Amino acid sequence: MMTSRRQFLAGAAASGLATAGLPGCSEADMPSYQDAVAATWRLPSSGTEGAERLRALVAAATLAANSHNTQPWHFRIEDRRIAILPDTVRRCPVVDPDDHHLYASLGCAAENLAIAARALGLAPHIAYDEAADAVTVDLEPGTAENSPLFAAIPERQSTRADYDGKPVPSEDIDRLLATAGSDDVDLLLVTEPGRMETILEYVVAGNTVQMEDAAFMAELKEWIRFSEGEAVKAGDGLFAGASGNPTLPRWVASPLFDLFVNAESENDKYSSQIRNSAGLVLFTANGTGPRYWVEAGRSVQRFALQGTALGLRNA
Ligand SMILES: Cc1cc2nc3c(=O)[nH]c(=O)nc-3n(C[C@H](O)[C@H](O)[C@H](O)COP(=O)(O)O)c2cc1C
């Protein structure tokens, strides 16, 4: 069975940035934004069995971080396996010409799926199948493990607001690095303000190049959902309200976006976020290509969930 978030879930996003489109649903039948969020951002219940359990795992997978919230995946549910395939219609050729964000997003989804599988009594094994160009999650019977990472799945979101400037206790840092690291992915933690400032210089330089590129801005705008109705109907994309922007009909918001969203405004935001955050983490996969990009995504997702479980906002 091939399915995707858009085909079978009803909802939108808690972080404002997610979810399920409602094909065939008329405007009048559409749930409110709040109802859509509540229907989407929830954990599968522990007693779920059989096909319903597999569908619940897919639902949990779709709550993962993913590039521009394009939801760039298809799920194929088999007997003892769920395959996650790239949805190439949802590529972002400008910001992600080699698809490494896309494959990292598949890795994020696979990690959520595996964590949910363990919580629902299955033993998952994740691999990248090069011939099939799919991330496969094999599922064998196991013992139910109710982990803090599972509970964090519907709580995690990419923080768009500023940070509080407080340091993170060293035991939390140790826990984050231990949870997120793997043989294929190295993590470099940077907390020293001078080194963070150097990284910020690169972030600002890169962001300036991107935001001065008309093709990048056009692609970004395509994925912005300016109103609650747009977010619920599309079931994907970046909800303006999640970044603290006003939610308006597209015909009003679109020219305002062109006028007010620029390199300077975004660089100011990133500078404040980085200067007020406890640290930056660089994830480096020990190779290149889909297999390694998937591994990097898995690691980032574990980090984000562990951070959430510890009460640490992250993005
Ligand atoms: C591979 C990847 C790349 C991303 N790149 C960016 C980025 O450049 N800027 C940004 O603000 N968020 C970025 N994100 C975060 C996504 O926009 C976010 O995960 C998505 O909108 C869903 O929202 P949520 O994480 O709050 O559920 C990225 C996420 C992934 C997985």
Side-chain angles (χ1 to χ4, degrees):
M1 170 174 38
M2 285 283 266
T3 186
S4 73
R5 173 176 225 165
R6 296 168 57 75
Q7 288 163 325
F8 85 103
L9 274 178
S15 55
L17 303 177
T19 107
L22 299 168
C25 209
S26 75
E27 300 271 330
D29 295 336
M30 279 220 304
S32 71
Y33 180 78
Q34 285 69 24
D35 286 351
V37 167
T40 303
W41 287 84
R42 57 195 170 88
L43 284 177
S45 39
S46 51
T48 320
E49 288 290 335
E52 200 192 328
R53 175 163 63 179
L54 298 181
R55 288 166 65 87
L57 298 184
V58 174
T62 65
L63 301 181
N66 66 100
S67 176
H68 276 10
N69 197 28
T70 53
Q71 303 275 309
W73 38 53
H74 284 298
F75 295 88
R76 191 170 60 219
I77 299 179
E78 296 165 9
D79 188 20
R80 289 189 169 208
R81 164 180 287 189
I82 297 177
I84 311 175
L85 300 104
D87 182 351
T88 50
V89 170
R90 295 175 160 268
R91 295 182 65 238
C92 289
V94 181
V95 72
D96 186 25
D98 63 0
D99 291 330
H100 77 272
H101 285 189
L102 190 154
Y103 283 96
S105 303
L106 302 190
C108 294
E111 197 59 39
N112 261 21
L113 200 157
I115 290 166
R118 277 185 216 105
L120 299 190
L122 293 166
H125 175 75
I126 300 176
Y128 173 70
D129 178 341
E130 199 172 336
D133 187 22
V135 183
T136 54
V137 189
D138 288 332
L139 299 162
E140 296 297 332
T143 314
E145 252 177 59
N146 209 348
S147 70
L149 268 56
F150 175 61
I153 287 176
E155 305 299 325
R156 181 212 60 82
Q157 67 181 97
S158 299
T159 297
R160 305 290 176 186
D162 215 337
Y163 294 86
D164 63 9
K166 290 188 191 151
V168 173
S170 63
E171 61 271 24
D172 287 359
I173 289 179
D174 292 347
R175 175 78 70 87
L176 281 164
L177 299 181
T179 304
S182 77
D183 289 346
D184 286 322
V185 182
D186 291 332
L187 274 63
L188 176 66
L189 172 71
V190 180
T191 54
E192 197 270 307
R195 294 180 75 203
M196 287 172 68
E197 207 61 31
T198 304
I199 295 173
L200 173 58
E201 282 171 24
Y202 283 102
V203 170
V204 165
N207 187 54
T208 304
V209 171
Q210 281 189 327
M211 298 206 69
E212 287 176 353
D213 175 356
F216 170 85
M217 291 303 279
E219 186 180 77
L220 174 65
K221 201 169 158 185
E222 242 178 69
W223 287 102
I224 292 184
R225 306 293 170 244
F226 287 110
S227 66
E228 293 186 348
E230 228 183 36
V232 174
K233 194 168 178 191
D236 58 19
L238 303 160
F239 177 48
S243 302
N245 295 314
T247 56
L248 297 164
R250 180 163 282 261
W251 65 272
V252 182
S254 177
L256 294 175
F257 177 87
D258 296 339
L259 275 176
F260 294 113
V261 179
N262 52 43
E264 204 186 342
S265 67
E266 292 304 286
N267 285 340
D268 286 350
K269 204 165 70 183
Y270 292 148
S271 301
S272 181
Q273 284 171 333
I274 289 180
R275 289 182 179 135
N276 287 321
S277 75
L280 299 170
V281 181
L282 271 65
F283 293 78
T284 316
N286 300 325
T288 194
R291 167 172 126 64
Y292 291 97
W293 299 331
V294 166
E295 287 303 316
R298 291 183 59 192
S299 181
V300 167
Q301 185 68 18
R302 280 199 305 276
F303 185 94
L305 291 172
Q306 182 64 76
T308 304
L310 292 168
L312 302 170
R313 291 195 288 124
N314 58 82

